[in-house]
Amino acid sequence: MMATFFGEVLSVYSRAVEEEEEEELDENDEDEEIRRELEEKREVHLHWSSEATTSGNKLPCSDFVLAVGQNAACFLSAYVLSSDTWEAVGRASAWNERSRAAAGEESACVFYRRKDDPSVLICSVTGYLAEDQLFQWTEKVFDRLQLRQLSVTVLSDGALADYKTADYLCGSSAPFLRSLRTGAFGERPVCPALEQPNILTGLPAAVLNHCQVHRIPAVSYQCYSDVIAPDSVTMETYKPALTRLSRSIQLDPSPSTDVLRKSVRSSDLQSNLYI
């Protein structure tokens, strides 16, 4: 605004102000474009084989077993997936800030199902999933599964250093299992419940929360170990967790040394979840 000699107030056109507004709009549009491109880049993608998609949009599934972490995934690889009754039917891919896997490397998030019983599905996850990708992964996976009669079992790794207890816990007590279950899970877990203030985090927590909201029977077994790398003693700790699934999932009681070594070696290669 500007005052004249006679006291009138006149509006003054300012080219500088208009240019500043245009620059601000351009910056906002550019920021929005960057955010949109980043969201698209971080999107979780599911890739299913033709055999898995021929039956329609939904995969028949009565039992879904999810293994998250090196020891949990190695346990399934050595004690379950080593037999020829399983086939890979899908994988998950996405990009995040900790992605280090090279193009063409074997995916570290793979779905398997039994050849003679397609309703039994296993997912092995051996790497990192970012916080903003947890909801995506969970929603997209469960959206592909038939939820009627579905039961979910989650196996996950936990560091002994993260386990909180009022009593002294010596190293000889590890590894051990702790459980959490949804309200719809009517069976008794094979181990004590996870004590407060301990909590589940990451993908196991996202899956269990999804199952709680949608009233899906689900139980999570977290194995606390003082060994970070894949370890045969830690792997064996998961055995009781699959007791209730003995009719649909047969455990190899004593996998060969070669099978165990192969599982550990392959897990070392899969240093990240997504490619």
Side-chain angles (χ1 to χ4, degrees):
M1 310 293 282
M2 181 180 68
T4 68
F5 177 78
F6 300 102
E8 297 172 308
V9 178
L10 302 177
S11 297
V12 179
Y13 172 78
S14 174
R15 182 181 181 86
V17 172
E18 184 177 86
E19 289 179 350
E20 289 179 1
E21 291 178 349
E22 289 179 353
E23 290 178 0
E24 184 176 346
L25 289 175
D26 291 340
E27 290 178 357
N28 290 337
D29 292 341
E30 185 178 351
D31 291 343
E32 182 63 28
E33 180 66 21
I34 292 174
R35 283 194 294 268
R36 184 164 54 249
E37 291 179 356
L38 186 59
E39 289 177 359
E40 292 176 356
K41 188 176 182 180
R42 298 176 69 87
E43 184 177 355
V44 175
H45 299 277
L46 297 182
H47 311 274
W48 299 99
S49 65
S50 57
E51 293 80 5
T53 56
T54 53
S55 58
N57 294 327
K58 299 288 186 178
L59 294 175
C61 190
S62 59
D63 292 302
F64 178 42
V65 178
L66 172 65
V68 182
Q70 298 290 345
N71 275 296
C74 284
F75 163 70
L76 288 183
S77 179
Y79 287 86
V80 179
L81 298 173
S82 57
S83 69
D84 58 0
T85 59
W86 298 88
E87 61 179 350
V89 294
R91 63 184 178 89
S93 63
W95 177 91
N96 58 61
E97 62 275 10
R98 286 174 55 177
S99 292
R100 295 187 300 273
E105 183 180 335
E106 184 180 356
S107 175
C109 179
V110 184
F111 297 86
Y112 304 87
R113 72 178 180 185
R114 277 188 57 173
K115 296 178 181 179
D116 57 344
D117 186 1
S119 67
V120 182
L121 191 68
I122 283 177
C123 179
S124 176
V125 178
T126 56
Y128 176 73
L129 183 62
E131 289 292 328
D132 61 319
Q133 294 171 328
L134 296 174
F135 179 79
Q136 284 188 60
W137 190 98
T138 305
E139 286 289 312
K140 290 188 175 183
V141 169
F142 279 88
D143 187 57
R144 289 286 283 121
L145 304 181
Q146 290 182 356
L147 302 184
R148 184 179 299 177
Q149 306 299 323
L150 174 63
S151 179
V152 178
T153 303
V154 181
L155 310 178
S156 61
D157 294 356
L160 184 62
D162 295 333
Y163 182 75
K164 301 175 179 63
T165 177
D167 301 323
Y168 172 72
L169 190 65
C170 62
S172 60
S173 301
F176 58 87
L177 290 177
R178 289 295 183 267
S179 65
L180 278 179
R181 58 179 175 173
T182 64
F185 188 81
E187 302 179 36
R188 183 175 181 179
V190 300
C191 69
L194 184 64
E195 307 92 338
Q196 294 182 349
N198 296 290
I199 59 173
L200 279 183
T201 60
L203 189 56
V207 169
L208 207 65
N209 181 69
H210 180 91
C211 292
Q212 175 69 17
V213 171
H214 294 275
R215 300 180 181 179
I216 300 172
V219 59
S220 176
Y221 292 106
Q222 180 139 304
C223 180
Y224 288 94
S225 175
D226 54 355
V227 179
I228 299 177
D231 169 70
S232 59
V233 176
T234 302
M235 283 187 255
E236 289 186 358
T237 307
Y238 289 106
K239 282 183 177 180
L242 298 186
T243 302
R244 55 179 291 271
L245 301 176
S246 58
R247 291 185 178 181
S248 55
I249 296 180
Q250 287 76 42
L251 294 179
D252 184 344
S254 55
S256 66
T257 304
D258 290 339
V259 170
L260 290 173
R261 287 177 178 173
K262 182 180 179 181
S263 299
V264 172
R265 186 166 58 251
S266 63
S267 70
D268 290 340
L269 295 175
Q270 298 174 1
S271 61
N272 192 278
L273 176 59
Y274 299 107
I275 57 176

